[in-house]
Amino acid sequence: MRACVAKRAGEVARMAICDNRPRELARRLRGDGIEMTRAKSGDLQFRFRSKSLERSGRGTERRVNGATLGRAVSRSGRELRLDLGSMSRSLSIARLLERDAERAADDGFER
């Protein structure tokens, strides 16, 4: 699940145009069978159907708190926390870096 969330977060971060990145991330995760919701405490929570819980008879849905989900490692080696605040900041930074790279590329072509 960690790898799937990290993969989808990376895809959303690389999107050129997106009005609501957290909503887009939730939509993509739903396609993978993972639901991104808020817990009663307000924390980000990931839910998915667990076959092991079904076999043991202790329910069908596993809930993982976003703060305890773990960290995703970027290509540069930096660790990114997978809670909503951290993902939102990461996506904002990625958009800013992309804009700067586009401006630098455009400036290079104008000269």
Side-chain angles (χ1 to χ4, degrees):
M1 184 174 91
R2 286 181 181 94
C4 183
V5 172
K7 176 184 171 188
R8 295 299 183 196
E11 289 173 0
V12 172
R14 287 188 295 272
M15 291 176 65
I17 298 172
C18 183
D19 295 334
N20 190 331
R21 290 178 192 273
R23 185 179 298 150
E24 178 63 21
L25 175 60
R27 186 187 69 76
R28 288 177 184 231
L29 288 173
R30 246 189 327 274
D32 294 329
I34 301 170
E35 185 180 355
M36 188 171 86
T37 62
R38 288 279 185 186
K40 290 179 184 177
S41 64
D43 293 337
L44 182 65
Q45 189 175 72
F46 297 93
R47 299 176 181 192
F48 64 99
R49 189 172 194 86
S50 172
K51 293 179 184 175
S52 64
L53 284 177
E54 285 182 42
R55 285 192 299 266
S56 68
R58 291 184 278 159
T60 59
E61 184 178 72
R62 186 171 303 273
R63 298 174 184 175
V64 179
N65 186 317
T68 60
L69 179 64
R71 291 167 165 63
V73 179
S74 69
R75 284 183 247 159
S76 64
R78 287 191 71 170
E79 288 187 352
L80 304 171
R81 289 181 52 103
L82 294 174
D83 61 6
L84 186 58
S86 296
M87 288 190 326
S88 179
R89 281 190 297 276
S90 299
L91 294 171
S92 296
I93 291 169
R95 283 192 304 270
L96 291 172
L97 291 172
E98 181 182 19
R99 285 185 205 140
D100 287 346
E102 286 177 359
R103 283 186 199 130
D106 291 344
D107 290 344
F109 290 122
E110 290 175 7
R111 293 182 185 165

